[in-house]
Amino acid sequence: MSDAKRQATAFNPKSTALRRKLWVRMQTPDGPRIFFIWSRIFKLLAVLLVLGWLGSATALWAFVRYHRGVSNVSFVDIAFLPLRRDEYRATLGRHHFATAKEQLSQQRWGEAIFNLRAAVARTPANLEARRILAAIYQQSNQPEPAMKLLEDGLMYAPKDPAYLRETFGLLQRQPERVLRQSARLLPAEPDRDPAHLFITWQTAAALHALQRDDESLALIKRWQIDRNPEGRQLIAAIAAAGGRHEEAENIYRQQLREDPKNEAAALQLTRLLIRQGRTEEARRAALLRTLALPDSPGAAIDLLNLTWQTGDKESYHRDANTYLQKHKADERALQMLASLAAKLTQPELAATVLATAAAQGHAEAQFRLSLLEAQCAAADFAAAVATAEILTGLEPLPPRFASAANFLKAWAYLGRQRPADAEPWLQRGLLQPRLEPAQLQLFAAAYEKLNAIPAAGRVLAAAAALAPDQAGPLLALVEFHARHEQWTAAEALLPRLLAFPEPPQALVATIREKSAEENARRQALAVARAEEQARIAEAVRAEAAASAEAAALMAGQVRAELAAEAARIAEAARAAAEAREAADRPPAP
């Protein structure tokens, strides 16, 4: 900048001579003096600040757009980030979600999960991202994070029907959580809002699951959800649970008369008849369901199952072939038939379904898994081992099916009396038991039938640990220990069992009695063992004393013999000396 000297004593910043100058040095009566033109300095600083801000914003925008790949990022959001933080986070959330969907299509699961989490964190109202991530958690047998994820999203979609159905459908696993959410979402007074009616229905179902049927019926009456088909079906379920089968049956049949395509009512009626042992009637109900819903694979599978149970094998095989030809292009429908073949112990049908699926280009792994299950159930363990080895080389299964595959492979090798080969698969299954406790109990029963008692016990222990709030798995483990007279192990579980309502008192008494007897036997055995050890020690001491006495006597004898021998030797030496002396003495003259 200029450092010109001026003789004038008057300072005028608007002077043309001072144009484009920020300060000037001038002579004054008091001597030289520097004058700053502050208005220009402030303007220059403002310009520099704006240029620096724009440059930094441009650099950051370019970094986010080109380096991080957020192609739809707005320069305005970057430039005014403190004021447009929410808009910028929403842009990042949409970017992460779009990236996650692309990665899911490429089966890059780990990266997709990371981006889905980032999408939910930045855009909590993205319900689709929450649903996809929750589905992944469920497939990995992680229901707790899935429920938490969907629960947290309810505040953004309190009346979204699809989101409510998915969330409460998952929360029904823990009815207490349904009650907590309904208390937060429902108004104090009943209304006819569809979302509120749905939540009320779910709440009544949760109360029924908790065996609080009186409260459930009162809630149904108060909100008048018995006007809806779902509410009437819940009333029927409560009646059936209370032993009022005729009332429940009448409700289901009335609903089917009103709507023959009411699949839920048809399914519940079929199940109710099966529980009562009315298999033929259940089959007729299932047949009517298939006539009303001819394209429903589920209806056809239920009819096939009941046809088999009634013993009509000819119709069963004919209908199974018809089903196979009709639904061969539907991978999910074929999987249902393969699962039925495994359930009914039909490896031939499972193999046929596998061949059909392969011919249609469907992925083989899950069909071969059903074949493996059917072969194990049929005790054809040689074929099961061969299937297990083929299955190991196929593409990875989803986590839930992979866990089942581990236990099935262990079952196959145990059946072939190859416990060393079964152990690695059993360990894999136990490390991540991504199955329901009831499924683990079925595997334990299969192992127990093969007399693989330790393996069965480990699987039952895993089932009890997987559901610590359920009495059933723990009771199964206790009964297992009792069957195999492992009374101490059974007694150790009694405090946990007694914490549940209505524990089996007869079993508890038996375990305590047998455990006391076993402890008494152990104590008696310990006492007998101690007495035996004492007797042995006393015998050893007596034998040692006798041995010492015999040794002392023998030592005395040896000493006496040595002394006598020494005396004889000395006497002989003396005699020899005397003889030499006599020989050396000169003869007498």
Side-chain angles (χ1 to χ4, degrees):
M1 301 299 172
S2 175
D3 197 24
K5 298 181 180 180
R6 304 286 179 180
Q7 296 297 325
T9 58
F11 172 67
N12 182 9
K14 296 182 180 180
S15 172
T16 56
L18 301 181
R19 185 177 298 171
R20 293 189 294 274
K21 292 180 172 46
L22 300 178
W23 68 81
V24 64
R25 184 179 181 185
M26 300 183 66
Q27 290 291 339
T28 67
D30 298 328
R33 182 179 174 186
I34 297 177
F35 292 91
F36 292 95
I37 307 175
W38 292 109
S39 60
R40 294 179 185 176
I41 291 175
F42 288 142
K43 289 177 183 178
L44 178 61
L45 289 176
V47 170
L48 292 176
L49 183 61
V50 169
L51 291 175
W53 165 56
L54 291 176
S56 300
T58 302
L60 182 57
W61 174 81
F63 173 80
V64 173
R65 180 182 176 86
Y66 297 107
H67 183 73
R68 296 185 61 181
V70 186
S71 58
N72 58 343
V73 65
S74 169
F75 179 80
V76 175
D77 292 343
I78 295 291
F80 297 95
L81 186 58
L83 301 177
R84 297 184 61 84
R85 179 180 178 84
D86 292 341
E87 290 79 358
Y88 175 64
R89 287 176 61 86
T91 300
L92 287 182
R94 288 191 295 270
H95 165 72
H96 284 298
F97 184 51
T99 304
K101 289 199 291 187
E102 182 180 352
Q103 290 166 342
L104 286 173
S105 66
Q106 299 170 358
Q107 297 187 355
R108 294 156 57 188
W109 309 113
E111 299 171 65
I113 291 172
F114 172 82
N115 279 295
L116 284 170
R117 288 173 176 168
V120 171
R122 288 175 171 81
T123 52
N126 189 336
L127 303 182
E128 186 179 358
R130 287 181 181 273
R131 282 199 290 260
I132 294 174
L133 185 55
I136 293 174
Y137 283 143
Q138 291 181 71
Q139 290 176 1
S140 302
N141 199 33
Q142 301 180 63
E144 181 59 34
M147 285 188 279
K148 182 69 169 59
L149 187 68
L150 293 177
E151 272 184 317
D152 293 343
L154 284 173
M155 63 183 297
Y156 304 103
K159 295 187 178 182
D160 185 317
Y163 192 82
L164 288 175
R165 279 195 300 272
E166 185 168 350
T167 302
F168 279 93
L170 182 59
L171 292 181
Q172 283 294 348
R173 297 185 180 188
Q174 297 183 14
E176 297 85 355
R177 297 178 81 148
V178 175
L179 301 184
R180 287 199 300 269
Q181 291 301 324
S182 65
R184 185 174 64 84
L185 296 173
L186 287 178
E189 295 298 326
D191 57 29
R192 303 311 296 171
D193 186 302
H196 293 162
L197 293 176
F198 174 80
I199 296 172
T200 303
W201 169 47
Q202 292 292 318
T203 306
L207 290 170
H208 171 53
L210 294 171
Q211 299 181 353
R212 295 159 59 179
D213 290 339
D214 291 341
E215 296 178 59
S216 180
L217 290 171
L219 185 65
I220 292 171
K221 182 178 181 181
R222 181 167 178 262
W223 278 80
Q224 298 180 351
I225 60 173
D226 52 348
R227 300 178 183 178
N228 304 331
E230 296 83 359
R232 292 199 294 275
Q233 287 174 18
L234 182 54
I235 293 174
I238 293 173
R244 303 189 304 276
H245 297 146
E246 184 177 354
E247 178 185 346
E249 182 179 344
N250 290 336
I251 293 174
Y252 292 137
R253 292 192 184 279
Q254 177 61 33
Q255 287 191 306
L256 288 173
R257 282 192 292 270
E258 295 172 359
D259 180 12
K261 293 186 177 182
N262 188 333
E263 188 165 8
L267 177 61
Q268 293 302 326
L269 175 61
T270 303
R271 292 178 176 177
L272 176 65
L273 295 173
I274 291 174
R275 286 197 298 271
Q276 297 180 71
R278 298 158 63 183
T279 309
E280 281 292 349
E281 293 181 64
R283 182 185 176 186
R284 286 196 295 272
L287 179 59
L288 292 174
R289 180 182 167 202
T290 58
L291 294 175
L293 301 163
D295 296 325
S296 171
I301 288 294
D302 284 346
L303 179 59
L304 280 171
N305 185 19
L306 288 165
T307 301
W308 177 267
Q309 291 185 31
T310 56
D312 189 352
K313 305 298 173 57
E314 182 179 352
S315 297
Y316 171 82
H317 291 297
R318 183 186 63 249
D319 293 344
N321 290 330
T322 302
Y323 178 98
L324 195 60
Q325 295 303 316
K326 182 177 181 179
H327 298 286
K328 62 182 179 182
D330 186 343
E331 184 174 1
R332 177 58 184 154
L334 288 181
Q335 288 172 357
M336 293 171 65
L337 182 59
S339 298
L340 179 65
K343 176 184 176 181
L344 300 180
T345 316
Q346 296 177 351
E348 298 83 2
L349 177 58
T352 302
V353 176
L354 170 62
T356 303
Q360 292 293 317
H362 302 316
E364 289 187 31
Q366 293 189 30
F367 296 99
R368 199 167 290 276
L369 185 65
S370 295
L371 174 60
L372 174 59
E373 182 179 357
Q375 290 169 335
C376 288
D380 188 359
F381 295 114
V385 167
T387 302
E389 292 173 351
I390 295 173
L391 186 61
T392 303
L394 294 178
E395 68 275 7
L397 287 160
R400 180 167 58 90
F401 293 104
S403 183
N406 290 329
F407 288 107
L408 284 170
K409 291 173 184 177
W411 186 3
Y413 285 115
L414 288 172
R416 291 291 289 170
Q417 303 298 316
R418 293 164 59 180
D421 293 325
E423 182 61 25
W425 298 110
L426 182 59
Q427 287 184 357
R428 288 188 188 184
L430 292 173
L431 283 175
Q432 292 182 324
R434 294 173 173 172
L435 298 174
E436 296 295 328
Q439 294 172 298
L440 292 176
Q441 289 174 237
L442 291 176
F443 282 118
Y447 298 165
E448 187 178 5
K449 188 176 180 181
L450 295 173
N451 204 33
I453 305 305
R458 290 161 62 190
V459 175
L460 286 174
L466 194 63
D469 56 341
Q470 296 180 21
L474 180 62
L475 178 59
L477 179 59
V478 172
E479 291 174 340
F480 170 82
H481 288 313
R483 279 197 304 275
H484 297 283
E485 299 184 352
Q486 300 169 355
W487 304 113
T488 302
E491 188 179 30
L493 297 172
L494 288 185
R496 290 171 54 192
L497 184 62
L498 292 171
F500 289 100
E502 300 181 3
Q505 296 297 341
L507 177 62
V508 171
T510 300
I511 290 173
R512 284 175 171 168
E513 178 184 353
K514 296 296 183 180
S515 181
E517 293 176 0
E518 184 174 316
N519 290 334
R521 286 196 300 270
R522 288 180 178 177
Q523 291 177 357
L525 182 61
V527 170
R529 186 178 294 112
E531 292 176 351
E532 181 66 20
Q533 291 176 348
R535 286 195 297 271
I536 292 173
E538 182 62 29
V540 169
R541 285 195 296 271
E543 186 176 353
S547 298
E549 183 178 356
L553 179 61
M554 184 177 295
Q557 292 176 350
V558 169
R559 284 196 298 271
E561 290 176 358
L562 290 175
E565 183 66 21
R568 286 195 298 273
I569 292 173
E571 182 63 27
R574 192 169 47 254
E578 290 177 356
R580 285 196 299 274
E581 184 179 356
D584 293 340
R585 187 181 303 150

